[in-house]
Amino acid sequence: MANESTGRANGFGARIAPAIPYLLLLAFTIWLWGVAGRIDYQERPGTLGPDFWPRVAIGLMGLLCLVRIATVLATGGAAARGIGAAITGGEEEDEPGPRRPVLLALGIALTLAYGLVLNTIGFPLATTLFLVAFMYLGGSRRHLAVWVSSLVGVALVTVLLTKVVYVSLPRGAPPFDRVIDLISGF
């Protein structure tokens, strides 16, 4: 009789253990929701308050946690293996690909350089150059795809952030400060 109850307990523990990180993240999400609700501001008619976008992001984070918890519990923890195995139907590779410390160091240097030039040349130019350089560093040689995806992506994100979300992006020093006006003027 004792073995049956321990077997059931172990089965439940094996099922719930992979969901623990998502449960903790859900608890953190609930706490963040409360924090975002305490943002003090003077309400202006016809505008979104500063608590709107954080609450949207926090709500999506909570929803994803709930979906992931349900998936892990429904599959008995098999979903915790990884999404790659779930999509392909096979097992994930045990052996990682070749390590390239030089590429890693260059990626870190590129990211640091992006942070250093962001306030000088502004968000649109710095981000476009960063994306182009990062894609080439990663091995992409489809020049048209690299440049078009970088230029169009940055233009769309700039318009979204400046016109929809009302985020003030780094404009850059003159003459670079005019680029953001050109993009968000459309």
Side-chain angles (χ1 to χ4, degrees):
M1 189 65 127
N3 285 343
E4 279 183 31
S5 63
T6 1
R8 273 186 261 154
N10 286 342
F12 179 73
R15 188 175 284 259
I16 195 92
I20 290 174
Y22 303 108
L23 290 167
L24 293 172
L25 187 57
L26 182 62
F28 182 66
T29 301
I30 293 167
W31 177 77
L32 281 177
W33 184 270
V35 169
R38 292 191 301 263
I39 295 175
D40 290 330
Y41 65 97
Q42 237 175 359
E43 213 171 309
R44 291 187 296 182
T47 62
L48 301 173
D51 66 334
F52 179 78
W53 289 110
R55 281 212 159 174
V56 168
I58 293 166
L60 288 173
M61 190 167 76
L63 180 65
L64 289 173
C65 286
L66 290 172
V67 167
R68 193 66 177 156
I69 290 166
T71 305
V72 167
L73 292 176
T75 61
R81 282 188 326 213
I83 195 164
I87 291 172
T88 61
E91 292 296 318
E92 291 186 87
E93 292 181 22
D94 290 336
E95 189 101 9
R99 297 185 186 273
R100 297 189 176 131
V102 173
L103 285 180
L104 175 63
L106 289 172
I108 291 170
L110 186 61
T111 305
L112 291 173
Y114 172 73
L116 291 173
V117 302
L118 187 61
N119 286 327
T120 305
I121 65 174
F123 176 82
L125 288 176
T127 305
T128 300
L129 294 174
F130 173 78
L131 290 174
V132 167
F134 206 82
M135 283 189 253
Y136 281 132
L137 182 64
S140 179
R141 296 296 176 253
R142 301 185 68 190
H143 305 295
L144 183 64
V146 166
W147 284 94
V148 169
S149 64
S150 296
L151 290 169
V152 171
V154 167
L156 289 174
V157 167
T158 301
V159 169
L160 175 75
L161 291 176
T162 58
K163 297 294 186 181
V164 178
V165 184
Y166 303 112
V167 172
S168 179
L169 297 173
R171 299 180 62 75
F176 302 113
D177 61 341
R178 291 191 167 81
V179 174
I180 204 164
D181 293 332
L182 177 69
I183 293 172
S184 54
F186 289 108

